[in-house]
């Protein structure tokens, strides 16, 4: 299978109100999005505002495929202090309620804090246990809402950003109905892109698609960086990936340029997909 649906993360417009972005997104040919939870973009605490966005998306023929849970230094589900963990849990549960109001399929979560400090081993293990405790509660709540949680592989310099960490988390969770969101840019920076496809095989439900030059998380359109996309897409075929692709493209000062980059990235992926299914000459 190579006819994966390709959507767009509204995160490329995270500093603009989402209602300002939906018409241009639809005009660019995107009918499926992942909704960004940045407060200036969409206040996920305001469920009435979220429902208004859902109605506008329905009017435009746009599907809210997934919702990205908030992530920031202050949202630390691994925190040693119970109060901080509860605060982080509360934010993610609020995001889950907003995701349900949007009628999405998936809630995408970073399984750990946005913290580059790697603590001593004993503290690290305690923080891992704390992550599991919080995620188990999030997963149960999402199941009640009819949403599936997806864990995203993080940047390698962050706490729990290693491949072994996310695999450990999957094995430690109570529920088996938790998927993975493979982030191609993060995986390239971890120097584990191809291994991660195999290691997460069976877990991957959707893929965040973007490129970089192995130096920083640039969120370039596919084809503009160092990823070798043709063998990567072949691996997705080999592991029988049947989900959707969500373009995570960096914002530019111009809405038109940002969308042009997204359209170019989508065309690049479709071109490679066609090449992979074309019969080879004898």
């Amino acid at each position: 299978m190579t006819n994966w649906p390709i959507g767009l993360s509204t995160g490329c417009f995270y500093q603009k109100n989402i209602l300002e972005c939906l018409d241009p997104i639809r005009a660019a040919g995107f009918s499926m999005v992942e909704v960004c939870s940045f407060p200036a973009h969409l206040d996920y605490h305001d469920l009435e505002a979220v429902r208004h966005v859902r109605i506008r998306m329905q009017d435009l023929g746009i599907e809210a495929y997934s919702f990205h849970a908030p992530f920031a230094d202050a949202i630390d589900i691994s925190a040693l202090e119970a109060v901080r963990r509860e605060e982080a849990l509360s934010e993610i549960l609020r995001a889950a309620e907003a995701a349900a109001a949007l009628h999405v399929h998936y809630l995408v979560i970073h399984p750990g804090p946005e913290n580059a400090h790697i603590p001593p081993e004993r503290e690290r293990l305690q923080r891992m246990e704390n992550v599991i405790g919080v995620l188990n509660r999030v997963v149960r709540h999402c199941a009640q809402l009819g949403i599936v949680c997806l864990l995203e592989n993080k940047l390698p310099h962050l706490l729990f950003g290693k491949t072994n960490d996310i695999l450990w988390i999957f094995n430690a969770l109570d529920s088996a109905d938790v998927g993975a969101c493979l982030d191609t840019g993060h995986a390239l920076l971890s120097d584990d892109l191809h291994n991660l496809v195999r290691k997460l095989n069976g877990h991957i439900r959707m893929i965040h698609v973007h490129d970089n030059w192995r130096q920083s998380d640039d969120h370039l359109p596919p084809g503009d960086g160092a990823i070798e996309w043709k063998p990567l897409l072949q691996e997705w075929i080999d592991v029988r990936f049947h989900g959707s692709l969500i373009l995570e493209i960096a914002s530019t000062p111009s809405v038109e340029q940002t969308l042009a980059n997204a359209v170019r990235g989508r065309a690049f992926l479709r071109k490679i997909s066609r090449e992979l299914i074309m019969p080879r000459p004898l």
Side-chain angles (χ1 to χ4, degrees):
M1 172 175 175
T2 59
N3 58 332
W4 302 292
I6 302 176
L8 179 68
S9 167
T10 68
C12 58
F13 303 117
Y14 73 98
Q15 293 179 319
K16 296 179 180 293
N17 187 292
I18 188 172
L19 290 172
E20 299 176 27
C21 312
L22 293 176
D23 285 82
I25 287 172
R26 189 67 186 94
F30 289 98
S31 59
M32 181 177 73
V33 297
E34 176 173 286
V35 178
C36 167
S37 61
F38 193 73
H41 184 68
L42 175 63
D43 182 4
Y44 58 89
H45 296 87
D46 185 347
L47 290 183
E48 188 57 38
V50 172
R51 294 187 187 100
H52 183 59
V53 169
R54 183 193 73 215
I55 292 169
R56 182 59 186 148
M57 292 176 72
Q58 289 174 338
D59 290 343
L60 289 170
I62 297 176
E63 176 189 7
Y65 186 72
S66 54
F67 186 85
H68 203 306
F71 57 95
D73 288 343
I75 301 176
D76 185 356
I77 63 175
S78 79
L80 300 180
E81 304 86 357
V83 171
R84 289 192 63 199
R85 288 201 307 278
E86 289 298 319
E87 290 172 349
L89 172 64
S90 176
E91 284 301 303
I92 295 175
L93 293 182
R94 282 174 177 260
E97 296 287 344
L102 287 168
H103 297 175
V104 305
H105 301 280
Y106 300 119
L107 178 70
V108 179
I109 302 174
H110 287 188
E114 301 302 298
N115 192 330
H117 172 65
I118 307 301
E121 188 63 18
R122 176 179 289 185
E123 179 182 331
R124 185 176 179 280
L125 290 173
Q126 180 58 60
R127 286 180 175 272
M128 286 285 272
E129 292 290 347
N130 292 346
V131 165
I132 296 303
V134 172
L135 288 178
N136 277 331
R137 295 167 68 182
V138 173
V139 170
R140 286 195 295 269
H141 188 66
C142 284
Q144 294 170 355
L145 295 171
I147 302 170
V148 174
C149 289
L150 303 185
L151 307 183
E152 178 179 340
N153 56 299
K154 298 172 60 183
L155 287 166
H157 69 281
L158 296 174
L159 186 60
F160 312 140
K162 305 297 184 184
T163 299
N164 287 344
D165 293 331
I166 193 169
L167 293 173
W168 187 92
I169 291 170
F170 274 118
N171 289 328
L173 288 170
D174 291 341
S175 174
D177 192 23
V178 180
C181 173
L182 172 66
D183 187 293
T184 60
H186 296 175
L188 181 68
L189 289 168
S190 71
D191 200 28
D192 204 25
L193 177 55
H194 298 282
N195 284 334
L196 197 55
V197 172
R198 302 288 178 173
K199 290 175 180 178
L200 292 178
N201 185 21
H203 291 290
I204 302 174
R205 306 286 187 92
M206 62 179 277
I207 300 176
H208 281 168
V209 183
H210 55 102
D211 213 332
N212 61 64
W213 286 107
R214 300 182 187 271
Q215 300 298 318
S216 59
D217 193 24
D218 303 311
H219 285 263
L220 301 174
D224 283 11
I227 293 178
E228 297 180 8
W229 287 95
K230 193 166 187 177
L232 180 60
L233 267 65
Q234 182 62 58
E235 288 187 359
W236 298 348
I237 295 171
D238 293 343
V239 300
R240 294 179 171 82
F241 169 66
H242 294 293
S244 297
L245 312 181
I246 297 292
L247 289 160
E248 277 198 328
I249 305 300
S251 176
T252 72
S254 161
V255 170
E256 293 76 16
Q257 184 58 57
T258 301
L259 286 171
N261 290 343
V263 168
R264 179 162 50 82
R266 180 181 60 190
F268 176 83
L269 292 171
R270 287 178 173 170
K271 176 178 180 293
I272 293 178
S273 295
R274 288 193 298 270
E275 292 173 354
L276 289 172
I277 62 174
M278 287 176 61
R280 296 172 180 169
L282 297 175

